[in-house]
Amino acid sequence: NSKLRHVEKDVLIPQIMRDRAKELCSDKVQAFTKCCQETGVLMVVKCRQENAALKDCLVGYYSDPSFYEECKAEYLKQREEYRATGIKKKRQKFTQNV
């Protein structure tokens, strides 16, 4: 059964998309994080270029319909495994401080 509830469409699949996009844009996440750590209070002004690059990368993935379908398929696979076994599988997360 591949029917999705609203919470799955609006919350769970977008969460997978955010996690995967952060992994795929990890170089830009690291550059922005490094800039913020080095700059401190003035990060809003000094890190605009890094922030814009990170935002462009993430929005590129968020707005890609094929990326959504990949994440949806991943979610449906996880849901199917959970329904078969009753054991929730922890998803590996990107462990970079953002």
Side-chain angles (χ1 to χ4, degrees), residues 46-61:
K46 300 267 184 178
C47 299
R48 284 185 181 160
Q49 185 177 8
E50 290 84 352
N51 187 25
L54 174 59
K55 185 178 177 182
D56 289 343
C57 183
L58 293 174
V59 169
Y61 283 111

Side-chain angles (χ1 to χ4, degrees), residues 19-71:
D19 292 343
R20 288 200 52 212
K22 282 182 186 176
E23 291 170 8
L24 295 169
C25 297
S26 65
D27 57 330
K28 292 171 180 54
V29 171
Q30 289 174 349
F32 180 66
T33 301
K34 182 180 177 190
C35 179
C36 290
Q37 289 172 342
E38 291 173 353
T39 308
V41 178
L42 297 175
M43 72 180 142
V44 174
V45 177
K46 300 267 184 178
C47 299
R48 284 185 181 160
Q49 185 177 8
E50 290 84 352
N51 187 25
L54 174 59
K55 185 178 177 182
D56 289 343
C57 183
L58 293 174
V59 169
Y61 283 111
Y62 298 157
S63 61
D64 182 5
S66 64
F67 185 68
Y68 176 83
E69 291 301 321
E70 286 177 36
C71 294

Side-chain angles (χ1 to χ4, degrees), residues 80-93:
E80 182 182 333
E81 288 177 17
Y82 174 75
R83 287 180 176 176
T85 64
I87 300 170
K88 186 173 182 175
K89 185 177 178 183
K90 292 264 184 180
R91 187 177 191 298
Q92 283 186 338
K93 287 196 173 187

